[in-house]
Amino acid sequence: MSIIVKYVQLADYLTKYTPAKGYLYRLNPLTKLAVVIANIVLGVYLSSPGFSFLAMLGVFAATFTFVAAGGFSFSELIRRQWSLLVIFFGLIFLANTLLGKTAFNPNLKLTVIYQVVGFNRVWLTLSYQGLNDGVSATLFYASIFIAIVALVRTTRISDLAYSLQSLGLPFSISLIFTITIRSVSLVSGKLVTIYNAQRSRGFELEKGWGADRIRNIATIFRPLVTQLLRTAYDMSIIFQSRGLDFSSKKRTRLREVPHRPVDYAVISVCLAASVVLIALVPPAFYG
Amino acid sequence: MSKIVSFEDVSYQYEGVNEYAVHGVNLEINKGEFVLLMGASGSGKSTLCQAINGIIPHVVPGKLKGKVFVDGYDTTRLEPPSLSKFVGMVFQDPEIQLFSLVVEDEVAMSLENRAVPREEMRGLVDWALGVTGMDSLRLSSTIDLSGGQKQRLATAAALASGAEIIILDEPTAYLDNEGTRAILNVIRELCRDKGKTVILVEHKVEQTLQFADRVIVMSQGKIVKDGPPKTVFSDLATMKSVGVRLPAALELAIELNVAIPNIPLTMEELRRLVPDEKLLPVISDRLPRLAGTSGPPSVQLENVSLSYGPERRVLRDVSLKISAGEYVAILGRNGAGKSSLATLIMGLNKPTSGRVIVDGVDTRRASVAQMARKVGFLMQNPDHQLFTESVREELAFGPRKMGLSDSEVDSLVLKALELTKLTGLEERNPYDLSMGQRLRLALACALILSPPILLLDEPTIGQDLVHLTPLMNQVAELNRSGRTVIMITHDAHLASLHSRRTVFLSEGEVLADGPTREILGNEELTSRCGVDAAPLPRLLIEAERRGKVKAATG
């Protein structure tokens, strides 16, 4: 249970907009979204077997530099959540090293480093190619993670929602998106309170297996779901009391979200890198 | 004055419920009035408010009879978005009524929805933030605001939409005294200086009564009293029967048989009517005296600090010794470290430095489950704990998981039911119980393992007298039977009536620790801690300064 609570708290931290100085905070949300998309495109391409992990390292380094130079501080994130990050990225590394694309390619000749004794199966083999896959994949997810965290924590969600509307996203969807992000801290707060309330009653929620474990989860999730349903109902009442609705066709905005020259420059770099890579470099696979 | 709200024989029945939530209500509210709406939970206050802003009948399904008019408009013909131009509403829970992540975005939200031109919108947002004192926080994150700031922001959002009527449904329930004062001052200024009509639903009678032009009291869906505060409260029989909390001065006046036409609502008024020689002994008798604290230590904090990371130090070098059988109140502003202190005693958090000894056990070396045998912890909201289909199951779950036999579990359940006066409700679903019963069930759950210490974290939040009195009486009974009680609260009056010792926390440090009547009566000290002085001890201290109290109290 405690690991679920910790991951919800991590989600709470990651989705919290925190105003600060730095160019990242002034960029148009669509520019930051373009960085995320470029990361996904480049990552999918460059993390495939055949590319050295150095290619992904380049993408990761570029993203990291872009975000860090833009005024986003990683120190708090690492200090508060390092154990969860290590578990998360550690699992990605292990899974891709031992069970990645390399492991399932029967035509591939592997350079074996270690093989689990008694199991002469490819997917239990640690190889240099597997290691390359593992490092590439870890850098791929880390790079996307950084880009998304930077997008959410340095952007007013209302600006992002408005930018998405300008691309044709319906208001109702963008509002649901905004409220979902806003609600993460609400869910996190309630989960922690309920978790502590039940532990205070003497319940050992980390103990037991099978049915016992399910009952433990029920002690948390039944009150949580009840509370969240009640909260959702209350929020819908409050929402309508405030005169907010989805039916209004015409809307105005308190402020513009401008596109500055730097926005055009960043979007151009992202676009060019993606196009050049896809158009000019052929996909490469082992074997 | 012209009327702005009127109810014509209004009744409303929620879908699937047999009883009327409000029944036969006739009411007129004039422009610029400050109306205080009172009554026990379930008396129909919120239904009445939601009938004004059109949520009833447009959003909440049910059957509406009669007519409600707002500024001359029939609310059945206007949807809530249109009515929001006339009526703004602020709700109890500051956490769930903000939808944006930036302060000024929240205020602009409904204006954007109505396509108000940008320049006009900017002017309205600036004005609303200025009026509510939120101007300097316009670019802050809404998540990082304090409870009081969130409520002021919700009020700003209501004002910006142009509302002439502001309805506030228990807006200060989660706030400390400073937050309460700040929001009440804003509301008073809106009414007095800006001519807004204010309808305030509140249980905090001491702080709000002074602002009200008119008090409306509801019970079982009907308006049972309506008039100026003094007139309404002079009908003591009705006010007592509907479970409304009476001002401390009035409670004393009843005890002293003060003539009804002279009914006092504040201590100052009472003192003009009753000589100190007669008044002070009664007050002195009402307040618990400090008992000896020489018993064995029940809870001991030795140079305890607690940090959530290098920047967030919530407790600093706190040393405290609470003896067995004491009744201690812990007060302080929101964020002073009160709840963190409770989590340390419960073992939910371990101290960053120092140690916490609870009934002889060092919390650093004990699991929370082990601590639950020492400390019964009653949290604010009983619904955070309830998860089974019956009261019996709810109580039996913990002991059963600890491996106790069926007969042992049954015996513990029976004892807890008796102790909390829930006998007879064993087979009821916890969610079908009233709020007061759910509170007592949560208390029973906390007491099922017979812990020697009872820890209460803000038990009074959002509770009316009907629910609060039985709970507090039971806690007092448990204390008399030898249990140590530690109560965290914002309610200085309640603390002064029950606890013998008070600890003030401020910015994570113990600022004062001593007899409740001395601490809570000291205005200079209480204001330093952001707490209002409790009215009864304050009067005693004032008299003491004038040298009267010793003669009066013998």
Side-chain angles (χ1 to χ4, degrees), chain B residues 170-241:
Chain B
E170 296 187 47
T172 69
Y174 291 88
L175 308 186
D176 58 18
N177 292 127
E178 275 182 348
T180 300
R181 260 200 307 276
I183 190 79
L184 289 177
N185 284 337
V186 166
I187 300 166
R188 183 175 56 171
E189 278 169 28
L190 286 175
C191 187
R192 195 181 56 193
D193 303 338
K194 312 284 177 208
K196 303 284 180 191
T197 307
V198 171
I199 301 168
L200 175 66
V201 180
E202 258 302 342
H203 292 305
K204 293 180 182 172
V205 63
E206 305 281 356
Q207 289 107 315
T208 50
L209 210 50
Q210 53 184 312
F211 303 139
D213 300 316
R214 178 177 169 191
V215 176
I216 296 173
V217 182
M218 293 193 74
S219 177
Q220 296 175 336
K222 293 182 178 170
I223 292 176
V224 291
K225 292 304 293 180
D226 181 0
K230 288 224 170 192
T231 313
V232 166
F233 277 93
S234 62
D235 185 355
L236 293 173
T238 304
M239 296 307 276
K240 276 184 164 178
S241 70

Side-chain angles (χ1 to χ4, degrees), chain A:
Chain A
M1 267 317 298
S2 65
I3 195 84
I4 297 175
V5 173
K6 281 181 182 161
Y7 271 111
V8 173
Q9 285 179 315
L10 174 63
D12 178 24
Y13 171 79
L14 295 178
T15 52
K16 211 176 261 178
Y17 165 69
T18 315
K21 284 181 179 162
Y23 70 75
L24 210 52
Y25 295 84
R26 294 190 297 274
L27 284 181
N28 190 291
L30 291 181
T31 308
K32 288 179 259 188
L33 196 60
V35 173
V36 174
I37 293 167
N39 254 285
I40 294 170
V41 172
L42 295 176
V44 166
Y45 204 79
L46 295 177
S47 67
S48 60
F51 283 106
S52 161
F53 74 90
L54 291 172
M56 255 334 288
L57 186 62
V59 174
F60 175 80
T63 310
F64 184 86
T65 309
F66 171 73
V67 171
F72 181 78
S73 167
F74 288 98
S75 58
E76 197 193 347
L77 172 66
I78 291 166
R79 182 180 53 71
R80 286 169 54 142
Q81 311 288 355
W82 68 269
S83 56
L84 292 181
L85 295 175
V86 167
I87 292 171
F88 182 69
F89 288 110
L91 285 175
I92 288 176
F93 173 73
L94 278 177
N96 281 279
T97 302
L98 297 173
L99 304 166
K101 293 167 191 165
T102 308
F104 293 103
N105 187 345
N107 304 321
L108 187 65
K109 194 168 177 239
L110 297 178
T111 315
V112 176
I113 301 170
Y114 181 76
Q115 211 156 33
V116 176
V117 179
F119 293 93
N120 192 17
R121 295 275 298 271
V122 174
W123 54 272
L124 283 171
T125 301
L126 177 63
S127 65
Y128 281 113
Q129 290 82 355
L131 264 180
N132 186 72
D133 274 5
V135 174
S136 283
T138 309
L139 289 169
F140 169 42
Y141 287 110
S143 185
I144 292 176
F145 175 79
I146 288 172
I148 292 175
V149 169
L151 168 69
V152 178
R153 283 196 51 100
T154 67
T155 309
R156 292 178 179 205
I157 295 301
S158 55
D159 287 349
L160 178 60
Y162 179 66
S163 302
L164 294 173
Q165 280 173 56
S166 67
L167 293 179
L169 190 78
F171 171 72
S172 54
I173 305 289
S174 69
L175 189 65
I176 288 167
F177 173 65
T178 309
I179 292 173
T180 305
I181 298 278
R182 169 73 181 84
S183 301
V184 172
S185 69
L186 201 74
V187 175
S188 164
K190 284 203 185 293
L191 178 64
V192 172
T193 307
I194 291 168
Y195 177 66
N196 281 339
Q198 302 300 45
R199 288 170 72 211
S200 303
R201 287 175 66 181
F203 299 173
E204 294 182 277
L205 302 168
E206 319 300 334
K207 272 193 175 173
W209 293 99
D212 246 15
R213 203 70 179 205
I214 291 167
R215 265 197 295 275
N216 285 349
I217 291 173
T219 63
I220 303 294
F221 281 93
R222 177 134 193 230
L224 181 67
V225 169
T226 310
Q227 286 287 301
L228 290 179
L229 287 175
R230 199 171 290 172
T231 301
Y233 175 77
D234 288 345
M235 282 177 88
S236 77
I237 296 280
I238 293 166
F239 187 78
Q240 299 189 64
S241 298
R242 294 271 303 275
L244 304 167
D245 63 3
F246 296 131
S247 61
S248 177
K249 291 274 181 279
K250 196 179 163 215
R251 286 170 201 283
T252 47
R253 277 279 294 168
L254 180 64
R255 58 172 187 275
E256 278 298 329
V257 188
H259 287 273
R260 297 188 176 87
V262 65
D263 289 301
Y264 292 113
V266 173
I267 290 174
S268 303
V269 169
C270 290
L271 201 63
S274 305
V275 169
V276 166
L277 189 77
I278 292 167
L280 300 182
V281 183
F285 289 96
Y286 290 115

